[in-house]
Amino acid sequence: MPNFKRILLGIFVLLLVLVTLAFFLENQQSVALMFLGWSGPELPVSLVVVVALLIGMLVGPIIGWFLGRSSKATRKRLV
């Protein structure tokens, strides 16, 4: 059974890599982003989206950790 799970995980990772590669190859148009008057360099759409995803994957757990930590402190004070 552990080998079956390992094979399924390998297939899932392979599919994820293939979908990501297809996304990169299909979205090579350049875009320039503007935010609050700041203009960024022209980068491919795929790069902008993947960088935003990676930043979200880093920031999300950090926020969750802080919220969980403050929640535990609140529960300790209540007990």
Side-chain angles (χ1 to χ4, degrees):
M1 195 55 109
N3 287 335
F4 181 69
K5 288 182 182 179
R6 184 175 287 173
I7 291 171
L8 281 178
L9 180 64
I11 291 171
F12 177 74
V13 168
L14 182 63
L15 285 173
L16 188 64
V17 167
L18 289 174
V19 168
T20 305
L21 180 64
F23 179 77
F24 268 111
L25 293 175
E26 290 293 323
N27 292 291
Q28 292 299 315
Q29 305 91 323
S30 292
V31 294
L33 298 178
M34 288 191 64
F35 180 70
L36 298 176
W38 291 40
S39 180
E42 287 198 10
L43 299 170
V45 174
S46 58
L47 184 64
V48 173
V49 171
V50 170
V51 167
L53 175 69
L54 291 175
I55 290 171
M57 289 174 66
L58 290 173
V59 171
I62 292 171
I63 291 173
W65 180 73
F66 278 124
L67 292 176
R69 191 171 159 206
S70 66
S71 167
K72 288 178 187 176
T74 304
R75 275 189 252 140
K76 282 184 181 179
R77 278 187 269 145
L78 292 175
V79 174

